[in-house]
Amino acid sequence: MATLTDMINEVSMNLSGYTLQQDRATHITADVAATASTIAAPITLSLASTDSVGKGVIEIDEELFWVDNYDRVGNTATIAPYGRAYLGTTLAAHTAGTKVTIAPTFPRFTIKRAINDTISAIGSSIFAANTTTITSNAAVAAFRLPTTGTTLNISKILSIAYQTLGASKEWTPIRSYRFDGNANSTAFTSGQTLSIYDYIPSGRTIQVVYSTNPTSFSTNADIFTDTTGLPESCKDLVILGATYRLLSNLDPARASMVSPQADETDSKRPYGSSQSLNKQVYALFNQRLNEEIKNQQDKYPIRVHYSL
């Protein structure tokens, strides 16, 4: 099962292949504490090499630093007072031997953000499917959802069935019901109710299959299917979505270059050249999105039911 770390690595590999970009790197030779760099006590990084280090941004794990000055002899880099947790990244401790990426083209925290943005965006087209159960009661018509303390955030009911009496253990579909996602919160604490109008014997288990919005990642160890609620087949869809989002930033990054070296580069790869590639990746993303929509429509067909 793919974790967020696996997906970040895959997006990073895709972007490196598309751009032919090989970021320069070294590693730290001493631990770095999770403390801010100040004027009175600046943070100094011990590096294996400073050959490619200059003033600017470096990345350790998922934290960005701003290097204020460096020492080629002592192989150290001094971090500016504003240089820890640069550009909104998270201040963290780092252990000796960790990779240091110099001026990363696509920082890992931006890849993570692009992955989560893609998951949120595709929620308008495809859904995460889940199930819950309630117990029938002949004296109750409106059942509170969920039966546990956490809110399910149900978007739509996909199907309902109850387990019949007897040895057959058959699950009989329920045809007459109404879902209310804005129920009175005083009477129903979750604000979501399911009213069932078919006759069901008391004490029977009712299984509710519902759709909800995919959930974004929160930690790098989160597993894709468990966290988002999407099937494993959607993993490459999210990776393509994150890739096209990040590729769109390549041309703006070159727009302000004014130097002989930049002019030489632009003659081979003119400004706007990445947009054709971006369109290709976006087309692949849309193709996979339509395939997943069709898969969900086949798996969860529209079921006719009566609602009062």
Side-chain angles (χ1 to χ4, degrees):
M1 295 294 182
T3 63
L4 176 56
T5 297
D6 297 330
M7 297 182 68
I8 292 173
N9 291 337
E10 190 166 347
V11 173
S12 180
M13 286 189 293
N14 288 348
L15 292 168
S16 297
Y18 284 129
T19 61
L20 298 178
Q21 175 70 37
Q22 301 296 324
D23 291 330
R24 296 160 296 161
T26 182
H27 64 273
I28 52 176
T29 57
D31 293 348
V32 179
T35 55
S37 185
T38 63
I39 295 175
I43 297 294
T44 301
L45 304 178
S46 298
L47 304 175
S49 171
T50 55
D51 291 345
S52 299
V53 176
K55 283 192 174 185
V57 177
I58 62 172
E59 179 186 53
I60 304 177
D61 290 324
E62 293 181 9
E63 182 184 357
L64 294 181
F65 297 70
W66 182 272
V67 174
D68 200 26
N69 57 71
Y70 49 89
D71 182 357
R72 299 282 191 216
V73 177
N75 284 335
T76 59
T78 303
I79 305 304
Y82 52 84
R84 290 300 304 265
Y86 191 63
L87 293 179
T89 53
T90 302
L91 182 70
H94 310 280
T95 58
T98 302
K99 178 182 177 181
V100 178
T101 305
I102 302 160
T105 306
F106 300 103
R108 292 179 68 83
F109 95 101
T110 62
I111 297 177
K112 178 191 292 188
R113 185 170 58 191
I115 289 173
N116 278 334
D117 288 347
T118 301
I119 292 171
S120 297
I122 64 177
S124 61
S125 301
I126 59 177
F127 54 80
N130 211 334
T131 62
T132 188
T133 58
I134 55 179
T135 302
S136 64
N137 185 337
V140 176
F143 295 88
R144 178 178 64 87
L145 293 172
T147 54
T148 59
T150 57
T151 302
L152 298 179
N153 294 321
I154 296 174
S155 298
K156 184 185 296 184
I157 300 296
L158 301 176
S159 65
I160 307 177
Y162 74 95
Q163 192 174 34
T164 58
L165 295 166
S168 67
K169 297 183 179 181
E170 180 185 2
W171 288 84
T172 302
I174 297 174
R175 302 295 187 188
S176 183
Y177 64 86
R178 181 176 67 89
F179 169 67
D180 186 358
N182 297 294
N184 184 280
S185 59
T186 302
F188 304 97
T189 54
S190 67
Q192 296 180 324
T193 61
L194 179 63
S195 299
I196 298 176
Y197 306 113
D198 286 357
Y199 171 73
I200 304 171
S202 292
R204 306 314 300 160
T205 298
I206 301 173
Q207 177 172 280
V208 181
V209 182
Y210 63 92
S211 65
T212 185
N213 292 327
T215 304
S216 299
F217 288 105
S218 57
T219 68
N220 287 2
D222 287 346
I223 297 175
F224 175 74
T225 51
D226 295 345
T227 301
T228 64
L230 297 171
E232 185 72 17
S233 59
C234 286
K235 180 175 73 72
D236 71 314
L237 170 65
V238 174
I239 289 172
L240 285 170
T243 301
Y244 93 75
R245 286 173 181 272
L246 293 167
L247 281 174
S248 63
N249 296 322
L250 285 181
D251 278 335
R254 297 209 312 266
S256 61
M257 289 185 177
V258 283
S259 68
Q261 294 84 352
D263 292 340
E264 175 64 20
T265 301
D266 287 345
S267 65
K268 300 174 183 176
R269 290 184 293 174
Y271 179 76
S273 59
S274 71
Q275 293 307 309
S276 59
L277 173 59
N278 199 29
K279 290 177 181 178
Q280 178 184 355
V281 177
Y282 184 66
L284 290 173
F285 168 77
N286 275 324
Q287 177 183 336
R288 286 290 298 116
L289 180 60
N290 290 329
E291 291 172 352
E292 288 301 323
I293 292 173
K294 180 63 166 59
N295 288 339
Q296 283 198 335
Q297 290 173 343
D298 292 341
K299 187 173 182 181
Y300 303 103
I302 297 175
R303 299 179 185 273
V304 176
H305 75 279
Y306 303 97
S307 178
L308 299 181

